[in-house]
Amino acid sequence: MTSKLMPRVQGLGIVLVLVLLIIGFSLLSPNFLDANNLFNILRQVTTLGIVAVGFAFVLLTGGIDLSVGYQISLYVVVCGILMSQFDLPWPLAIVLVLVLGVIIGLINGLIITLTGVAPLIVTLSMMTILNGVSYLLSKGLPISGFPSEFSVLGQGAVVGIPVSVIVLAVVWAIGYFIANKTYIGRYFYAIGNNIEAARLSGVNTRRTLLFVYAICGLFTAVGAILLLSRLNSAQSATGAGFEFSVLTACVLGGVSVMGGRGTMFGAFVGVLIVGVLDNGLVLLNVSEYVQLVIKGAILLVAVIYDAMSKNPRGRTRQIGGMTLGGRKPGPQTTTVPLS
């Protein structure tokens, strides 16, 4: 199978998985295809979908950002405090949180590019730091008392379409444009395939990676704001474990954890698969712990498939910037995204 045809076949495969899930849950639960439930799924995946855009960019470059979960925790707490305790207008609070998102993303990117420490280690450490900071700010207590206008972002609708879904569509359009229509999007794939070859080809790898982590932080902040608006309560545990949900969505959608391969369309379908799976399991009253087992197994299978499909001969594998055994990799070619 040609390299150009393979991504399209994989794209059709994940769409088929989504269709089969929808059919299966509709047969097992009569309420699944209810219009209100379908809109509920869209609302529930808005934060996941928005964060997945930036996260997919990071994966394409061969990196990973495990801090996105507790970035969300910090952003909702900071936004909640700014509105409820400092009485800042909600638009100003949102702008400040978006700036904070860019700053945290840049910090991750700077540490990774300046020190050479693996992204997996850097972002895991940042995850722990942000977890502690969010609890220090909130003192472990929920924060509420936000302006009623703020709730429109997560709970309102325009001509029947949830505002959060509109924001999701805009963010994904931006993500698709960056990945498919700009030179910097091509750089993501080049760096993910072979960062040294990309550098020798004239790509400013440091600047590109800084941009990737900054935009990941920005989109994570956008998703956190919409989540806070929908929940109307800020808690330090809000984003706990979210990083694994977004990783599962991206990998299911064909975005390689080893970099250089994947499409924004595939990542979006992966988000929908996770959303449908979560919703369907809840409707079927499946235990929360069983859900964790199912999701973990799905992520494991997806990562194994990704590793075997890209490295069928046991070549050196890099996940999150960490090399995991095997022979040295041979020359690699840049994979360009397919619309």
Side-chain angles (χ1 to χ4, degrees), residues 44-53 168 172 223 242 245-247 249 270-272 274-275 278:
Q44 290 173 344
V45 301
T46 49
T47 296
L48 178 65
I50 291 170
V51 176
V53 176
L168 172 63
W172 272 92
F242 194 88
S245 294
V246 70
L247 176 60
V271 167
L272 293 179
V274 171
D278 284 342

Side-chain angles (χ1 to χ4, degrees), residues 62-96:
I64 196 168
D65 191 349
L66 293 180
S67 68
V68 293
Y70 281 108
Q71 281 188 46
I72 290 176
S73 296
L74 180 64
Y75 300 150
V76 298
V77 166
V78 169
C79 192
I81 289 175
L82 290 176
M83 289 188 295
S84 64
Q85 298 182 18
F86 288 89
D87 295 323
L88 287 185
W90 63 269
L92 178 57
I94 288 175
V95 170
L96 292 177

